[in-house]
Amino acid sequence: MSGIKHIFGKEMARVFKDRKMIFSVFVLPVVVMIGIMGLTTNMAKKQAEDIESHKSIVYIQNMPESFEKFLADNGLDYNMKQANNEAVWEEAKTEIKDGEADLLIEFPKQFEEQVASYEAGQDIPQIKTYYNPSENYSAAAYREISENILEGYRQMLLLERIGDINEVTIFTVNSDNAEMIIQDDQKASGKALGTMLPYFITILLFAGAMGIGTDMIAGEKERGTMASLLVSPVKRNAIVLGKVFSLMAISGISSVIYVGAMVVAMPKVMGGADAGFDVSLTAAQIAMLAVLMVALAFFYSAIIVVVSVFAKTVKEANTYVMPAYMLILIVGMITMFTNKEPEFSSFCVPIYNSALVLQGILSGEVTMAQYGITLGMTIVLGLALCGIIVKAFESEKVMSC
């Protein structure tokens, strides 16, 4: 036990006595993470404001006077251009394709006469619109004009035809229903956070341990200090456990800092309660998160150390550990795009189950059975890897390479 404590203290001192390492491991990732979140949110907000303030360029063929009057009466101001001949029509289509114009509206010839003289059985006049969905301005113009303004214009003409539009209105949908949204705001915010947090936890836990972990074993091999450590009075299994536990502690502390920063910063960055994003975790949720993160820190540390044991240099260790890192990243990303309720068998898949449980904890939907099997499997796999590391440390062939 004293040997484990000695190695643990040695590795922890190596990190916490180095101010540059403290900054790079615990502070810099938080600053970068919050900075990226803030920048992304701010850019998305500015993009939305830019689209909203953009004056759409709209080409219209055979524009009726009633539509022009409708736009003016409702204060709808667009950069309108006539496209009443073939040359301008083709030019309009080219400009829309190139992103220089936003929408092309085609009214039938003598549209107002067709509407006014319509009789049952006749063809219904059709207004056609053309847009470029790959251009933000064009897509926004289509949504605003084709889906909203032309519907308002249709209602106006219908009112002129029949006098009382209620005579042909069979029903309305949510025209006077202020309470249409039924949701648990806390649960909804938890779900929103849960789509991203498992991914970030996975990245930060593994990345936080990767740089330090590869240096703990492969680095000491490369520098030649591992040989002197192995001939010291400290047992080899104590060396293994001391290094794994110290890496686990560093990874765990860093992940707690990162997750705490995300839980505090994300609602503010995303607009807080005003944007419907407000998260407050219960004591039970915090405890479940903490225990699982400790287990994950142990498991990920064991993965990194077992890879590092079989490497000769830090560079080689980083090369070996990168595929595991990429696999963990991909598995973490899967939960961001999963809508279906996971089957119980999914909680038997290592790494993926932890991402699901992290998501479930934040949304308040995880069961104790799901939590228990995930936690147990994570700890058992970590212990199994520690057994492999101990065996590797006892092999002179492995440790002398």
Side-chain angles (χ1 to χ4, degrees):
M1 188 69 184
S2 61
I4 297 175
K5 185 178 180 181
H6 174 74
I7 298 298
F8 180 87
K10 169 180 169 290
E11 296 296 342
M12 295 295 284
R14 185 170 68 91
V15 173
F16 286 98
K17 287 184 178 181
D18 188 336
R19 292 182 180 180
K20 291 181 179 178
M21 190 169 288
I22 290 174
F23 178 77
S24 63
V25 173
F26 301 111
V27 180
L28 184 60
V30 174
V31 175
V32 171
M33 179 179 61
I34 295 175
I36 291 173
M37 288 166 51
L39 179 63
T40 303
T41 304
N42 188 50
M43 290 176 67
K45 184 179 178 182
K46 285 187 175 181
Q47 183 185 45
E49 291 174 349
D50 179 56
I51 291 173
E52 188 176 346
S53 63
H54 173 70
K55 189 174 182 178
S56 299
I57 301 172
V58 181
Y59 280 90
I60 298 186
Q61 186 177 72
N62 306 319
M63 181 167 66
E65 291 182 6
S66 58
F67 183 65
E68 188 174 7
K69 184 176 184 301
F70 173 80
L71 294 176
D73 290 345
N74 288 276
L76 300 170
D77 185 21
Y78 299 102
N79 188 351
M80 311 292 285
K81 297 183 179 181
Q82 297 288 344
N84 292 329
N85 60 66
E86 186 67 23
V88 179
W89 175 267
E90 292 301 323
E91 181 184 347
K93 290 173 68 176
T94 300
E95 288 186 11
I96 290 174
K97 185 182 293 185
D98 294 339
E100 298 174 4
D102 304 317
L103 191 68
L104 174 59
I105 304 175
E106 179 187 4
F107 283 90
K109 291 181 179 179
Q110 299 178 336
F111 173 75
E112 290 175 315
E113 289 79 358
Q114 291 182 39
V115 170
S117 62
Y118 175 79
E119 294 182 1
Q122 293 181 343
D123 291 337
I124 298 174
Q126 178 186 185
I127 301 173
K128 297 179 181 179
T129 59
Y130 306 85
Y131 77 110
N132 184 350
S134 64
E135 294 287 341
N136 291 334
Y137 291 149
S138 184
Y142 172 79
R143 288 193 299 270
E144 182 178 346
I145 297 175
S146 293
E147 298 178 2
N148 296 320
I149 293 173
L150 287 177
E151 174 60 22
Y153 179 56
R154 188 182 70 85
Q155 294 287 340
M156 184 194 78
L157 295 179
L158 189 60
L159 180 62
E160 290 178 356
R161 176 184 291 177
I162 63 175
D164 185 1
I165 198 171
N166 290 327
E167 291 183 7
V168 294
T169 302
I170 306 300
F171 63 86
T172 62
V173 178
N174 291 323
S175 58
D176 185 21
N177 183 15
E179 300 177 353
M180 61 184 290
I181 297 176
I182 302 174
Q183 74 170 10
D184 183 331
D185 292 337
Q186 175 64 27
K187 183 178 177 180
S189 297
K191 276 193 170 184
L193 187 62
T195 58
M196 295 174 280
L197 196 57
Y199 176 65
F200 277 104
I201 287 177
T202 301
I203 292 175
L204 299 171
L205 266 175
F206 202 91
M210 188 165 62
I212 298 173
T214 52
D215 185 67
M216 278 185 178
I217 308 294
E220 293 212 28
K221 279 187 182 182
E222 190 175 0
R223 292 188 295 270
T225 55
M226 179 60 72
S228 59
L229 185 61
L230 292 175
V231 297
S232 68
V234 182
K235 293 182 179 180
R236 295 195 177 191
N237 60 353
I239 296 174
V240 171
L241 295 177
K243 286 182 175 292
V244 171
F245 289 158
S246 62
L247 184 59
M248 168 185 159
I250 294 167
S251 176
I253 292 169
S254 62
S255 64
V256 168
I257 293 172
Y258 302 156
V259 173
M262 280 196 70
V263 171
V264 172
M266 186 176 286
K268 294 180 180 179
V269 170
M270 301 296 288
D274 294 337
F277 198 102
D278 190 16
V279 178
S280 60
L281 301 178
T282 65
Q285 286 175 303
I286 294 172
M288 292 173 77
L289 276 173
V291 173
L292 183 59
M293 285 173 60
V294 169
L296 282 173
F298 172 59
F299 179 40
Y300 291 162
S301 298
I303 292 175
I304 293 167
V305 172
V306 78
V307 170
S308 185
V309 164
F310 293 95
K312 298 178 183 179
T313 63
V314 174
K315 183 178 180 180
E316 186 179 348
N318 286 328
T319 302
Y320 292 161
V321 83
M322 192 55 65
Y325 185 41
M326 296 304 297
L327 176 63
I328 289 172
L329 287 183
I330 292 169
V331 173
M333 287 181 65
I334 292 174
T335 56
M336 297 176 68
F337 307 100
T338 302
N339 294 319
K340 293 182 179 179
E341 188 73 21
E343 297 180 2
F344 189 78
S345 59
S346 299
F347 293 90
C348 298
V349 180
I351 302 173
Y352 180 58
N353 56 6
S354 61
L356 290 174
V357 168
L358 286 168
Q359 195 174 55
I361 291 171
L362 292 167
S363 63
E365 296 178 330
V366 69
T367 66
M368 290 308 298
Q370 295 167 345
Y371 183 79
I373 192 171
T374 299
L375 182 62
M377 182 174 287
T378 302
I379 293 172
V380 168
L381 288 173
L383 290 172
L385 289 174
C386 282
I388 294 173
I389 298 167
V390 170
K391 288 291 184 183
F393 260 69
E394 292 174 354
S395 170
E396 295 297 335
K397 183 179 179 180
V398 174
M399 298 311 297
S400 62
C401 65

